[in-house]
């Protein structure tokens, strides 16, 4: 590999000065030292980099054959790194889909390092994205933060991807001032640049979910699923993402339908880890529906795979579903025991990001469970619940997420019933006003139920019955039968033996509600009524739900009869 040293200047060449000769010899020594160092290197990437540097020094020393040989050897080392990187990437993806997720994370990080040594930035980015997904699934907050920092500054990543991970890294540091703008940019750019990289719509969807923009998240997930209709390998994961979007939106029936489809595809493809997450989603939908047998079966299966493979997201969903079922069936102490590890991270099942979603259920369970405790213990428990609630409250304020703010007000109201009953009325009033404007039917029903329960315990059964009946009708509308039955129980305790009965008079309606009711009774659709009254169709939906609750009816047919019966 060593070029013969010329004895003197070649014919026609420029004579070397002493300075240039010293420089040439220095390059020769550097090239030789780097070549020897490369032979001792244990890491393929370091070996390839040192050989490339040795080739550069040989070229500067005027030894072209040596430079060419060293450069060829460097390229062979890079090819070896790239081949090993592909092997580790394949192994990591197999573990991520159907094996232990910790092994997947290590293999994918090694693949990223090998691709970096091989100067394959696009492949390195792919490995890093999958490694981040493995850390997320495992509930490894430190690992996810590290991956976020690397991807957030990676040159091969699209701007939407970099913005998302910069936002995530800032959020994990509780730096909301930097996190929220970055996530918002990822969400908006993801919609515009969804074709640039397959990870863009998924990450943009997650950013929109974190910001509380559920409709945008649903649109992004739907678009990603539509594009993936051909290559079936991504369909189970995308159906799982869409199911989670509907779960966050409290559309539990839709979440269950998407999860059923995704589970069938995941089982057929042998993607056991994805199937576990989909079973967790199905357990949540069954808990809200009140199907205890289905909830426990899906939760048991999800937890079995989660424990075997180190999956934290399916474990959180399954445990949360069991706690929610206990809460619906009026076993708040059991719910507290299940949900406490999820929000405090004490032991066992917990996830650094999903804990925020579980906080409202935990707070409500605490408020119900401590009712019979001595005053000091009750105050301590409520104080701890309020401190935990601050995490959600700060994030809701930073993002401007109105449904999350309504949830915070709901939680503060149920805590006020326990700690200071005299303050319950105004607290529930603010919560109800906001949740009726921005919340889902399920969220509205939960707040009405909690308000009605509080009023009954404050010996105001007449006021309680209106809220309890409204809660029952809303629960029935969204298929939450176990919760509807709980509202019926509360109504009976408040002195109304039969939830049915004659409709209440239309005099209880506001002028705007009465106008909406009359137009609907005449056979117009909600959109037609909205056009007539110059309001949005969502405003009409909101007024119509309140009309049904105020009149004690369940359908448009009953509305026609109610208004006709009360005409002079």
């Amino acid at each position: 590999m060593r070029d013969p040293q010329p004895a003197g200047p070649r014919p026609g060449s420029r004579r070397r000065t002493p300075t240039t000769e010293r420089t040439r010899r220095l390059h020769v020594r550097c090239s030789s030292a780097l070549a020897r160092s490369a032979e001792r290197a244990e890491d393929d990437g370091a070996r390839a980099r040192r050989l490339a540097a040795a080739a550069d020094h040989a070229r500067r020393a005027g030894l072209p054959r040596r430079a060419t040989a060293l450069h060829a050897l460097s390229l062979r080392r890079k090819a070896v790194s790239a081949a090993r990187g592909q092997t580790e990437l394949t192994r990591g993806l197999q573990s991520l889909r159907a094996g232990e997720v910790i092994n997947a994370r290590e293999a994918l990080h090694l693949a990223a390092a090998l691709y970096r040594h091989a100067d394959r930035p696009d492949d390195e980015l792919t490995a890093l994205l999958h490694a981040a997904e493995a850390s997320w699934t495992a509930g490894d907050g430190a690992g996810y933060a590290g991956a976020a920092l690397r991807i957030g500054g990676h040159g091969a990543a699209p701007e939407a991807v970099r913005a998302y991970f910069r936002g995530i890294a800032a959020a994990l540091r509780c730096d909301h001032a930097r996190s929220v703008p970055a996530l918002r940019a990822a969400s908006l750019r993801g919609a515009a640049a969804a074709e640039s990289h397959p990870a863009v719509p998924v990450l943009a969807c997650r950013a929109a979910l974190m910001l509380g923009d559920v409709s945008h998240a649903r649109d992004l997930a739907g678009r990603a699923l539509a594009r993936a209709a051909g290559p079936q390998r991504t369909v189970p994961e995308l159906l799982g993402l869409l199911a989670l979007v509907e779960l966050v939106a409290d559309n539990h029936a839709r979440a269950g339908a998407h999860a059923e489809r995704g589970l069938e595809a995941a089982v057929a493809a042998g993607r056991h880890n994805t199937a576990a997450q989909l079973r967790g989603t199905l357990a949540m939908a069954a808990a809200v529906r009140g199907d205890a047998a289905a909830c426990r079966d899906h939760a048991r299966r999800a937890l079995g795979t989660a424990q075997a493979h180190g999956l934290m997201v399916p474990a959180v969903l399954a445990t949360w579903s069991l706690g929610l079922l206990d809460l619906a069936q009026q076993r708040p102490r059991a719910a507290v025991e299940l949900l406490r590890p999820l929000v405090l991270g004490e032991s066992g099942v917990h996830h650094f990001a999903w804990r925020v979603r579980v906080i409202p259920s935990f707070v409500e369970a605490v408020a119900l469970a401590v009712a019979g405790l001595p005053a000091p213990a009750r105050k301590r428990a409520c104080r701890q619940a309020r401190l935990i609630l601050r995490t959600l409250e700060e994030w809701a304020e930073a993002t401007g997420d109105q449904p999350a703010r309504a949830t915070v007000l709901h939680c503060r109201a149920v805590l006020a019933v326990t700690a200071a009953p005299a303050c319950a009325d105004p607290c529930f009033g603010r919560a109800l006003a906001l949740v009726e404007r921005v919340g889902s039917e399920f969220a509205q029903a939960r707040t009405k139920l909690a308000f009605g329960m509080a009023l009954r315990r404050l010996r105001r059964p007449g006021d309680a019955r209106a809220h309890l009946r409204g809660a029952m009708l809303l629960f029935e509308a969204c298929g939450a039968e176990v919760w509807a039955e709980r509202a019926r129980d509360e109504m009976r305790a408040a002195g109304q033996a039969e939830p049915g009965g004659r409709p209440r008079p239309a005099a209880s309606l506001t002028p705007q509600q009465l106008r909406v009711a009359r137009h609907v009774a005449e056979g117009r659709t909600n959109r037609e009524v909205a056009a007539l009254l110059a309001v949005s169709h969502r405003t009409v939906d909101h007024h119509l739900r309140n009309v049904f609750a105020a009149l004690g009816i369940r359908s448009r047919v009953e509305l026609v009869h109610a208004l006709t019966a009360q005409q002079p």
Side-chain angles (χ1 to χ4, degrees):
M1 198 185 302
R2 183 175 297 174
D3 285 354
Q5 301 295 321
R10 295 176 181 175
S13 66
R14 297 178 62 183
R15 184 178 297 274
R16 294 192 181 110
T17 66
T19 301
T20 58
E21 181 63 22
R22 284 196 299 272
T23 302
R24 189 189 70 82
R25 289 176 180 172
L26 180 61
H27 281 305
V28 170
R29 287 198 294 272
C30 287
S31 177
S32 298
L34 284 165
R36 289 194 299 272
S37 176
E39 292 173 1
R40 295 192 298 271
E42 296 181 359
D43 180 81
D44 285 341
R47 189 177 294 115
R49 287 194 300 273
R50 291 172 190 176
L51 287 171
D56 185 59
H57 281 291
R59 181 184 59 78
R60 290 170 182 268
L63 304 174
R65 282 183 291 176
R66 178 182 177 84
T68 300
L70 288 169
H71 182 65
L73 188 56
S74 170
L75 291 178
R76 285 199 295 273
R77 293 296 183 187
K78 288 183 177 181
V80 169
S81 290
R84 284 189 60 200
Q86 183 60 46
T87 300
E88 293 299 327
L89 177 63
T90 301
R91 183 168 72 88
L93 287 176
Q94 287 173 345
S95 293
L96 183 59
R97 292 164 182 162
E100 294 189 26
V101 74
I102 299 300
N103 294 342
R105 182 190 62 190
E106 298 307 316
L108 291 164
H109 276 302
L110 178 56
L114 290 166
Y115 280 132
R116 183 171 66 254
H117 300 153
D119 291 332
R120 301 270 290 271
D122 290 337
D123 292 327
E124 179 196 1
L125 175 63
T126 298
L128 282 174
L129 287 168
H130 288 303
E133 189 66 24
S135 293
W136 174 272
T137 306
D140 176 15
Y144 197 69
L149 286 172
R150 290 179 64 183
I151 299 172
H154 200 284
E159 180 54 35
V161 173
R162 290 201 301 270
Y164 172 80
F165 281 102
R166 285 197 300 267
I168 287 293
L172 292 174
R173 297 192 306 268
C174 297
D175 185 357
H176 300 331
R178 293 178 184 272
S179 174
V180 172
L183 291 171
R184 188 162 286 123
S187 173
L188 296 176
R189 288 174 179 168
E195 301 288 348
S196 62
H197 192 281
V200 168
V202 173
L203 297 178
C205 173
R206 289 183 177 176
L209 268 187
M210 291 181 69
L211 296 171
D213 192 350
V214 177
S215 60
H216 185 46
R218 184 185 293 114
D219 180 58
L220 288 165
R223 281 197 242 169
L225 183 62
R227 282 195 298 276
Q232 295 293 319
R233 61 183 180 276
T234 60
V235 167
E237 286 79 8
L238 292 173
L239 281 168
L241 177 64
L242 191 54
L244 289 179
V245 171
E246 299 296 356
L247 194 65
V248 171
D250 288 331
N251 292 324
H252 302 98
R254 289 184 188 174
H258 293 314
E260 286 281 6
R261 287 177 55 207
L263 180 61
E264 183 179 350
V267 170
R271 301 202 172 194
H272 306 304
N273 294 348
T274 302
Q277 179 173 311
L278 290 160
R279 287 193 185 280
T281 305
L282 286 168
M284 285 291 295
V288 171
R289 193 170 64 245
D291 189 344
C295 174
R296 293 193 178 101
D297 180 60
H298 285 304
R300 177 182 57 80
R301 295 188 182 201
L303 285 169
T305 305
Q307 290 164 0
H309 296 171
L311 312 173
M312 206 54 68
V313 174
V316 167
L317 289 171
T319 308
W320 185 12
S321 71
L322 295 173
L324 195 62
L325 186 64
D326 281 334
L327 192 58
Q329 295 178 339
Q330 303 187 54
R331 297 192 296 267
R333 292 189 182 182
V336 169
E337 293 305 312
L338 280 169
L339 300 178
R340 180 182 285 116
L342 305 189
V343 298
L344 297 182
E346 294 172 336
S347 62
V349 178
H350 63 275
H351 192 279
F352 60 92
W354 272 95
R355 66 181 294 267
V356 178
R357 302 283 181 193
V358 186
I359 284 173
S361 299
F362 174 72
V363 170
E364 187 166 349
V366 167
L368 294 172
V370 302
L373 295 180
R378 188 166 63 245
K379 287 181 179 178
R380 282 195 302 272
C382 289
R383 188 183 305 115
Q384 182 190 49
R386 278 193 292 271
L387 287 173
I388 293 170
L389 186 60
R390 284 180 62 185
T391 304
L392 177 59
E393 187 172 19
E394 289 170 0
W395 182 250
E397 290 297 329
T399 59
D401 184 349
Q402 293 295 90
R405 290 186 64 194
T407 301
V408 169
L409 289 174
H410 169 95
C411 291
R412 291 201 170 277
V414 297
L415 288 172
V417 173
T418 302
C423 301
D425 242 349
C427 287
F428 270 114
R430 289 192 294 271
L432 200 54
L434 185 57
V435 78
E436 285 182 338
R437 185 160 54 87
V438 300
S440 65
E441 286 187 344
F442 186 69
Q444 290 180 50
R446 290 282 296 273
T447 302
K448 286 178 179 290
L449 173 62
F451 196 8
M453 291 169 59
L455 290 169
R456 186 178 71 78
R457 285 156 180 75
L458 291 171
R459 303 183 187 282
R460 295 164 56 188
D463 295 332
R465 284 194 290 268
H467 292 294
L468 292 171
R469 182 169 185 81
M472 182 196 70
L473 293 173
L474 288 169
F475 281 136
E476 288 178 344
C478 58
E481 185 53 41
V482 68
W483 290 91
E485 186 58 37
R486 183 173 168 185
R488 292 187 197 100
D489 291 342
E490 289 289 331
M491 289 173 65
R492 285 190 285 269
Q496 183 167 335
E498 292 296 331
R502 298 169 61 88
R504 289 188 288 276
S508 61
L509 302 180
T510 66
Q512 184 73 334
Q513 288 172 346
L514 190 56
R515 283 192 287 272
V516 168
R518 285 173 175 164
H519 284 306
V520 170
E522 290 170 0
R524 294 185 175 88
T525 66
N526 288 12
R527 291 190 179 274
E528 290 171 343
V529 176
L532 283 172
L533 299 180
V535 296
S536 71
H537 75 278
R538 294 191 179 189
T539 300
V540 174
D541 293 342
H542 165 69
H543 284 314
L544 193 58
R545 284 196 299 269
N546 289 336
V547 166
F548 282 12
L551 297 182
I553 57 178
R554 306 185 190 187
S555 67
R556 292 172 181 252
V557 174
E558 289 184 38
L559 176 62
V560 173
H561 292 312
L563 294 183
T564 303
Q566 296 178 48
Q567 287 178 354

